[in-house]
Amino acid sequence: MDILIRKERENDITQVSQVIKLAFESAEYSNGDEHHLVNRLRKSSAFIPELSLVAQYQQEIIGHILFTKIKIDQHTSLALAPLAVLPAFQRKGVGKKLILEGHRIARELGYSSVIVLGHPTYYSQFGYTPASKWNIKAPFDIPNEVFMAIELVPNSLKRISGKVEYAQEFFLK
């Protein structure tokens, strides 16, 4: 399956919203707001256009990933949220391609770490480990194993600790 990973374009927004809605429709931990969250984040100062990526198969957008700026103490890091793949294309490596390309671009842009709230079995395959390893905490109460971090640059979190500050758009409805 020949999948193109590229930067999201303005004319992709409607299709991306649909992909996100469908991807989270039957998700175990979803509030159904993920597509609205992405729209809010696009208008925020945390938004990085180069890190809003789509997976395209033929002419159809089948996946989307978004990385936005967050703070851990005085350190700028990234949040991976959300990752969405159409149900028919899940478990086919689309999410993996989006994550790996996002990591590559993030490193290129000078970012050294990423935080994710997600399934430990899935994200650990990319090198994510509980953020508590670096004494990094979520700003809300969640199980330790689902709040994870990865160093895109070795030892970049070595001297970083504290509570993650997400963009306020994460907390709006």
Side-chain angles (χ1 to χ4, degrees):
M1 189 159 53
D2 199 20
I3 296 166
L4 169 69
I5 306 296
R6 63 169 174 78
K7 183 178 156 189
E8 176 188 60
R9 300 179 193 130
E10 183 114 5
N11 63 348
D12 295 330
I13 290 174
T14 303
Q15 210 176 344
V16 165
S17 282
Q18 197 57 28
V19 166
I20 296 168
K21 267 193 246 181
L22 292 169
F24 283 95
E25 209 167 45
S26 59
E28 190 178 346
Y29 302 105
S30 171
N31 61 4
D33 188 56
E34 291 83 5
H35 60 292
H36 294 302
L37 170 63
V38 170
N39 288 331
R40 290 191 304 269
L41 286 168
R42 280 189 193 106
K43 298 173 187 141
S44 78
S45 60
F47 184 67
I48 306 160
E50 296 85 354
L51 289 172
S52 184
L53 305 174
V54 297
Q56 185 177 318
Y57 177 63
Q58 295 170 347
Q59 298 307 309
E60 183 185 9
I61 292 175
I62 60 168
H64 177 261
I65 195 168
L66 183 63
F67 295 85
T68 52
K69 287 184 259 185
I70 57 170
K71 285 272 192 208
I72 308 166
D73 193 26
Q74 298 304 307
H75 174 74
T76 300
S77 183
L78 296 172
L80 186 173
L83 167 62
V85 176
L86 285 176
F89 291 92
Q90 290 174 5
R91 299 182 189 353
K92 294 182 178 5
V94 178
K96 177 180 184 175
K97 287 178 188 260
L98 284 163
I99 290 169
L100 295 176
E101 182 64 1
H103 286 175
R104 186 192 69 73
I105 294 168
R107 252 191 309 285
E108 219 172 68
L109 294 173
Y111 295 97
S112 59
S113 60
V114 180
I115 301 289
V116 70
L117 172 59
H119 199 284
T121 307
Y122 182 72
Y123 287 99
S124 66
Q125 67 184 313
F126 304 104
Y128 284 86
T129 58
S132 59
K133 170 181 173 179
W134 296 280
N135 200 24
I136 296 170
K137 296 171 179 47
F140 34 77
D141 194 26
I142 51 166
N144 182 56
E145 66 274 7
V146 301
F147 190 68
M148 297 168 281
I150 187 172
E151 293 176 312
L152 299 177
V153 175
N155 298 315
S156 58
L157 291 174
K158 194 174 181 177
R159 292 182 179 81
I160 309 296
S161 66
K163 193 178 283 190
V164 169
E165 290 176 50
Y166 285 93
Q168 67 180 11
E169 288 75 10
F170 276 94
F171 304 101
L172 304 173
K173 290 279 178 192

